[in-house]
Amino acid sequence: MTTLTHISPKLLEIIADRLPEQHPEHDPSTNSNYQYFKVNQTDLDLSVSFEEQIVRGTVTFDLTPKLDTDTIVLDTLYLNVDQVAVNDEKVEFDLKELVKPLGAPLVIKASCTKDTPLKLSVSYSTTSESIAIQFMTKDQTTGKTQPYLFSQCEPHYFRSMCPSFDTPSIKSTFNFKVESPLPSLMSGALVSPNEFTSKPLHKSFENADNKSYYFKQNVPIPSYLVAIVSGDIVGAPTGPRSTVYSEPCEIAACKYEFEADMENFIVTAEKLIFDYKFGTFDSVVLPVSFPYLGMENTNLCTLSRTLLSGDRQNVDVVAHELAHSWSGNLVTNCSWEHFWLNEGWTVYIERRITGALYGEPTRHFSAIIGWTDLSNSIKSMGDNLERYSCLVQTLKDRSDPDDAFSTVPYEKGFNLLFHLENVVGRDSFDKFIPFYFNKFSKISLDTYQFLDCLYEFFADKKDLLDSVDWKTWLFTPGLPPKPDFDTSMVDACYELGDRWILLAKTSTDFDLKFSSLDISSFTANQNLVFIDYLSSYEGTDGFTWTSALGQAAIKLMDNLYPTYSTSSNGEVIFRWLRLQLTGDIKEARQVMSDWLGTVGRMKFVRPSYKLLNQVDRELALETYQKYKNIYNPICLQLVRKDISVDI
Ligand code: BES
Ligand code: ZN
């Protein structure tokens, strides 16, 4: 726990009514009594049954109480608990009632004395509702050779894979052991069994067909970075310290997609911050239902197969997940209220990496795309705008951290850091970067500690920092002040957009003015900017794409730019369908419905269902019933809320 000693009185006054009593602030999204304990080490021993679609496990925590207490409370969510032992003696426990969304507290009787270490073990099994893990039959995989299992724990789902102090405020080193009939990976370095300091815990569920895999995570990490993948997976090198894994049928495509950039990214990030601390940076490309583009599990970043476009145009996602190795994985938000410290910093580093490698205009181009995403996301928040568009979030009502998820922590966070870079000057800000990451390495912090660190480092520039409009940046809903971006790469997209809008408003004489050559030199991202520009014109000056001229323009565009409707890039398809549905082009409804059977990424699936639901609820419901079995449980739970269906 630390106190703030460097922030200027002026800023202290601005944040006074938000200041917590202690730093880092308490995490409201856990039921555990984590504040009583230091977790020195966690051993997680898992066994996978594909027949039963269950993971059985024993978790052992090496704890040191910070205060006296007679109970230990752990988080669980849809788990069965079999047995609990303290220092190898069985003890009583009470698995309380489940209250959504944070789960069922597991209350364990144990007399804990300050500074006297103890060993706590819990044996348990998952259920069909354990949200973090998704079992798939072989038909649901890409190669259809073997069944598959993968996990997704961020933000608060580790508790459905393992009883735990499931808060990003607690960090621990880990030993992982997994028994499975299929090749398995976890979020640490693969080691041989004799490198384990502790003995394997429970032998009871070993069986002859299963193999055991051992992993060590020697850097203390929060629980949301733990991951398991088990299935027909093979690996291929993508650089001297990186391997990509996937099903055999697409391993060559994975290697091709990532090998040119991987090591360059790592080296560039190291120059900006400091050495990569986790040894290897491995990744695994998952089957289609993975609900994200990427997830930064330590040593095992999970990636969506929609990145495999064959043209290396999506590698910025890898730069993003790699950047988390510093922002998030080493320096961690203490709760999901301060999620921008993870994601805003990561977007900032991601763009510094791509900017260093491909030039500053590229960095600014990505920032402009991000700005458009941010304004679209804020526009679509409706009644939730006040609540969800502030940089620092409030989850003290114990609401679902996933409900607060949006582009805001990413892009408002990025823009704050970009603004600070401009306020103090790039060279000075570059010196602050390693200072900050070093100061909070291996610990978790809140926004106030970030501010304190900033004021500490820039002690001689306090006035400059005080000139920042902190109240607006941190606590005010809506868009932040717009920075000056270099628009050289977007100008061509806007010019073409303006021509289409002008014609859609004034004349039907389109075919004289446009040709397929208009977009022939566009990069994938320039196409996105162009289409977004058109969509965002909806409602401006009373114009709507549903007007006869607007619809005719969209149809002509479809003829002239056929690469949009036949694209294999999800980002393009999604945006193109969104524009068509905005213009109420009826034929696009069924196309979107069919497409929803081929994508699992929430960023596409959720807004697509919302749009379809607005224009054709019957089709949205029919589509949902048809494809609900392919989606990941996290995605499914949110889509249900989005379109108000129960099952
Ligand atoms: N850590 C996130 C994914 C995440 C966030 C999972 C919150 C669960 C809760 C990851 O780093 C991420 O941001 N992924 C993005 C891609 C990125 C390039 C912006 C995604 O998957 O959309
Ligand atoms: Zn991220």
Side-chain angles (χ1 to χ4, degrees):
M1 216 183 294
T2 55
T3 47
L4 310 178
T5 47
H6 303 281
I7 294 183
S8 78
K10 187 176 167 206
L11 173 56
L12 265 181
E13 208 173 286
I14 292 171
I15 59 180
D17 55 340
R18 299 287 301 244
L19 268 187
E21 277 167 25
Q22 58 179 54
H23 302 282
E25 192 170 13
H26 179 253
D27 177 3
S29 309
T30 171
N31 286 313
S32 75
N33 61 346
Y34 75 92
Q35 284 173 308
Y36 285 79
F37 300 99
K38 176 174 184 319
V39 182
N40 306 309
Q41 163 73 19
T42 308
D43 289 354
L44 182 55
D45 190 346
L46 300 176
S47 169
V48 178
S49 167
F50 285 101
E51 285 81 40
E52 299 167 277
Q53 300 211 326
I54 283 177
V55 177
R56 295 188 171 80
T58 297
V59 61
T60 302
F61 300 101
D62 176 348
L63 303 174
T64 306
K66 291 184 191 166
L67 298 164
D68 291 355
T69 174
D70 51 15
T71 51
I72 306 173
V73 186
L74 298 181
D75 290 300
T76 76
L77 182 63
Y78 302 114
L79 290 179
N80 290 323
V81 175
D82 303 321
Q83 194 177 306
V84 181
V86 171
N87 294 332
D88 295 321
E89 299 275 332
K90 267 204 215 172
V91 294
E92 281 177 39
F93 64 89
D94 186 7
L95 186 58
K96 300 277 188 202
E97 191 196 341
L98 185 152
V99 179
K100 283 184 188 175
L102 301 181
L106 173 64
V107 180
I108 299 156
K109 276 222 164 103
S111 76
C112 305
T113 314
K114 182 173 185 280
D115 295 333
T116 308
L118 61 106
K119 192 170 92 173
L120 168 71
S121 328
V122 184
S123 304
Y124 66 94
S125 53
T126 62
T127 65
S128 60
E129 289 179 289
S130 301
I131 302 177
I133 56 171
Q134 184 173 14
F135 276 99
M136 307 171 79
T137 61
K138 60 182 177 183
D139 290 337
Q140 293 170 308
T141 65
T142 313
K144 310 201 187 313
T145 50
Q146 295 285 354
Y148 204 98
L149 163 71
F150 74 84
S151 65
Q152 165 61 42
C153 290
E154 191 181 18
H156 62 292
Y157 301 118
F158 183 64
R159 66 192 68 177
S160 76
M161 178 171 148
C162 175
S164 47
F165 299 100
D166 190 15
T167 162
S169 277
I170 286 280
K171 292 191 174 186
S172 165
T173 51
F174 280 83
N175 282 336
F176 300 110
K177 177 193 170 205
V178 51
E179 278 176 38
S180 171
L182 295 173
S184 301
L185 296 166
M186 285 196 74
S187 35
L190 185 67
V191 293
S192 66
N194 50 19
E195 283 179 64
F196 259 46
T197 46
S198 61
K199 281 190 227 85
L201 301 161
H202 278 242
K203 289 263 177 195
S204 51
F205 35 68
E206 277 190 12
N207 89 43
D209 298 333
N210 283 358
K211 265 194 166 171
S212 294
Y213 303 83
Y214 297 86
F215 306 86
K216 250 181 174 313
Q217 180 50 260
N218 285 331
V219 180
I221 57 161
S223 55
Y224 76 88
L225 292 174
V226 173
I228 179 171
V229 176
S230 191
D232 187 6
I233 39 184
V234 292
T238 47
R241 44 186 158 165
S242 58
T243 301
V244 67
Y245 294 87
S246 76
E247 291 181 55
C249 60
E250 56 192 7
I251 191 68
C254 293
K255 182 175 162 63
Y256 176 81
E257 203 74 42
F258 305 124
E259 68 184 351
D261 300 280
M262 198 63 95
E263 183 61 17
N264 288 341
F265 285 167
I266 305 178
V267 171
T268 310
E270 286 181 317
K271 279 192 202 136
L272 182 68
I273 318 167
F274 48 65
D275 293 358
Y276 178 71
K277 302 288 187 200
F278 295 87
T280 55
F281 180 71
D282 293 346
S283 44
V284 54
V285 174
L286 296 178
V288 66
S289 66
F290 179 52
Y292 292 99
L293 267 192
M295 172 66 213
E296 68 272 20
N297 315 293
T298 43
N299 301 86
L300 185 62
C301 126
T302 37
L303 297 173
S304 160
R305 52 187 307 282
T306 60
L307 302 182
L308 305 174
S309 50
D311 57 8
R312 297 175 173 165
Q313 289 256 357
N314 294 314
V315 284
D316 48 347
V317 175
V318 176
H320 179 96
E321 304 315 332
L322 170 73
H324 272 301
S325 308
W326 291 267
S327 47
N329 300 10
L330 213 52
V331 174
T332 311
N333 52 214
C334 67
S335 77
W336 306 113
E337 297 187 312
H338 302 278
F339 186 50
W340 81 271
L341 289 172
N342 275 17
E343 296 299 343
W345 262 110
T346 298
V347 173
Y348 180 82
I349 297 167
E350 168 204 330
R351 292 188 182 142
R352 288 296 302 269
I353 296 173
T354 48
L357 291 170
Y358 313 125
E360 270 296 281
T362 302
R363 178 165 87 119
H364 284 246
F365 183 56
S366 303
I368 293 170
I369 297 179
W371 183 269
T372 311
D373 277 354
L374 178 65
S375 51
N376 285 340
S377 145
I378 290 180
K379 253 190 238 159
S380 68
M381 281 182 176
D383 293 346
N384 290 324
L385 183 130
E386 288 286 314
R387 166 153 199 186
Y388 294 139
S389 67
C390 296
L391 190 61
V392 181
Q393 296 280 331
T394 333
L395 296 167
K396 298 197 179 18
D397 60 356
R398 302 171 62 73
S399 57
D400 192 334
D402 258 345
D403 286 345
F405 181 83
S406 80
T407 309
V408 168
Y410 290 75
E411 295 298 341
K412 221 184 210 191
F414 162 80
N415 276 290
L416 172 58
L417 296 167
F418 185 65
H419 182 60
L420 291 172
E421 175 196 312
N422 288 319
V423 167
V424 299
R426 167 88 162 246
D427 289 347
S428 306
F429 196 71
D430 279 2
K431 295 195 180 82
F432 170 67
I433 296 173
F435 178 80
Y436 166 72
F437 283 101
N438 198 30
K439 184 172 174 109
F440 293 106
S441 175
K442 302 184 188 175
I443 49 183
S444 310
L445 79 159
D446 63 26
T447 302
Y448 312 100
Q449 289 168 283
F450 161 78
L451 296 172
D452 199 46
C453 175
L454 194 69
Y455 273 81
E456 176 188 359
F457 186 79
F458 292 112
D460 58 342
K461 291 189 164 74
K462 269 200 167 60
D463 290 347
L464 276 183
L465 292 182
D466 276 347
S467 74
V468 175
D469 181 357
W470 290 109
K471 198 165 179 192
T472 301
W473 279 103
L474 301 174
F475 307 126
T476 307
L479 281 172
K482 187 171 182 177
D484 265 343
F485 294 121
D486 166 348
T487 60
S488 51
M489 285 178 77
V490 287
D491 287 343
C493 316
Y494 292 168
E495 270 159 32
L496 183 62
D498 283 339
R499 287 174 51 209
W500 275 104
I501 290 165
L502 187 68
L503 283 169
K505 282 164 81 173
T506 57
S507 149
T508 47
D509 226 359
F510 305 121
D511 36 352
L512 301 175
K513 318 257 163 120
F514 296 94
S515 86
S516 55
L517 293 177
D518 300 337
I519 59 163
S520 58
S521 65
F522 276 7
T523 63
N525 279 345
Q526 281 178 304
N527 285 314
L528 308 188
V529 171
F530 165 64
I531 306 171
D532 276 348
Y533 187 71
L534 298 176
S535 298
S536 65
Y537 200 74
E538 174 74 15
T540 313
D541 296 343
F543 173 80
T544 158
W545 289 103
T546 57
S547 64
L549 288 183
Q551 288 192 334
I554 295 174
K555 285 188 180 154
L556 188 69
M557 250 183 268
D558 202 14
N559 286 336
L560 290 178
Y561 312 149
T563 47
Y564 289 164
S565 43
T566 55
S567 174
S568 58
N569 183 331
E571 299 278 0
V572 173
I573 304 173
F574 168 67
R575 284 170 166 85
W576 184 237
L577 286 170
R578 178 165 66 185
L579 178 65
Q580 289 177 298
L581 261 67
T582 307
D584 201 21
I585 306 287
K586 303 252 178 340
E587 305 85 78
R589 296 180 185 177
Q590 191 56 47
V591 181
M592 182 171 261
S593 165
D594 295 344
W595 184 61
L596 279 167
T598 67
V599 284
R601 188 188 171 205
M602 282 200 287
K603 199 171 171 197
F604 299 145
V605 175
R606 292 186 63 194
S608 298
Y609 269 105
K610 280 195 214 164
L611 258 177
L612 206 54
N613 191 46
Q614 274 163 20
V615 297
D616 189 342
R617 177 157 176 82
E618 211 171 300
L619 183 61
L621 296 180
E622 191 188 299
T623 308
Y624 167 80
Q625 290 305 336
K626 193 162 162 195
Y627 299 126
K628 65 181 182 190
N629 292 336
I630 65 170
Y631 302 130
N632 178 271
I634 301 174
C635 178
L636 208 55
Q637 143 182 300
L638 292 164
V639 170
R640 277 193 198 120
K641 282 192 207 169
D642 290 339
I643 61 168
S644 316
V645 282
D646 295 335
I647 43 165

